[in-house]
Amino acid sequence: MLKRLSAEFIGTFVLVFGGCGSAIFAAGFPALGIGFAGVALAFGLTVLTMAFAVGHISGGHFNPAVTLGLFAGGRIPAADVVPYIISQVLGGIAAAAVLYVIASGQAGFDATASGFASNGYGEHSPGGYSLAAAMTIEGVLTAVFLIVIHGATDKRAAAGFAPVAIGLALTLIHLISIPVTNTSVNPARSTAVALFQGTWAIQQLWMFWLMPLVGGVVGGLIYRYILQSKD
């Protein structure tokens, strides 16, 4: 268990450090900024690489919604859920702390004013989208993500390609939803940066736990009872 929890901590650390770090440091860099597409790719690459690196140890969840969705899909035991989620949240917070230290090295940096790659809705949505829109997209895309994860790791799927499919799916999810919520589908990612943003991100954090967890469970149940082979 210690090795599995360590793998989840490290994997989530890299996801937050790589994904949110690209948004904080590189997305809007003058002349050479990577933009939304670059941030989306950064999140996808972190999951892809860490799934290959440590997925064989812990399953490569790196996300409380994935853990709960895999439990709903009958893939993991109940005893794993809470320890995994705690490790993921702690890994995300550790990454956000390192990002904060680095970002603070720039004159005039202010995590509260910049948003620190936090997720938001309403006036804090990149595109000004409402709470209802944010809830819908977070729930739907997390459900889709869990269907992809279940399908890619099914015993009938091509062996060895699951990290590629999952990483590309997360990239696609970000390409769709960055303008709406800055893309969560991962409560650990949302919590980590919200703690350092410190104001509105914490106030809106409830939604970025509720809808990804609901979406994860829905996706897991859809695959388990509709798509999964009974053989």
Side-chain angles (χ1 to χ4, degrees), residues 48-193:
L48 187 156
T49 54
M50 293 313 295
F52 274 121
V54 300
H56 59 285
I57 299 172
S58 67
H61 301 187
F62 319 141
N63 180 340
V66 171
T67 296
L68 195 61
L70 288 172
F71 168 69
R75 296 290 184 88
I76 63 169
D80 285 357
V81 174
V82 172
Y84 267 47
I85 290 175
I86 292 172
S87 294
Q88 292 154 3
V89 172
L90 292 177
I93 292 171
V98 176
L99 290 174
Y100 185 84
V101 170
I102 297 169
S104 297
Q106 184 180 48
F109 169 73
D110 184 342
T112 300
S114 69
F116 204 59
S118 296
N119 303 114
Y121 54 82
E123 64 179 307
H124 302 296
S125 157
Y129 288 85
S130 68
L131 171 59
M135 293 181 75
T136 301
I137 202 164
E138 287 289 330
V140 169
L141 289 179
T142 309
V144 169
F145 192 38
L146 264 295
I147 290 171
V148 171
I149 291 170
H150 278 83
T153 57
D154 194 295
K155 62 184 179 181
R156 297 170 293 166
F161 290 97
V164 177
I166 294 166
L168 290 176
L170 189 60
T171 300
L172 176 61
I173 286 168
H174 279 76
L175 288 172
I176 296 167
S177 60
I178 286 177
V180 183
T181 62
N182 215 22
T183 310
S184 173
V185 302
N186 185 337
R189 169 261 191 271
S190 297
T191 300
V193 289

Side-chain angles (χ1 to χ4, degrees), residues 3 5 18 21 39 58 69 91 146 187 210 218 221-222:
K3 289 182 179 180
L5 296 181
V39 173
S58 67
L146 264 295
L210 175 64
V218 169
L221 293 176
I222 288 174

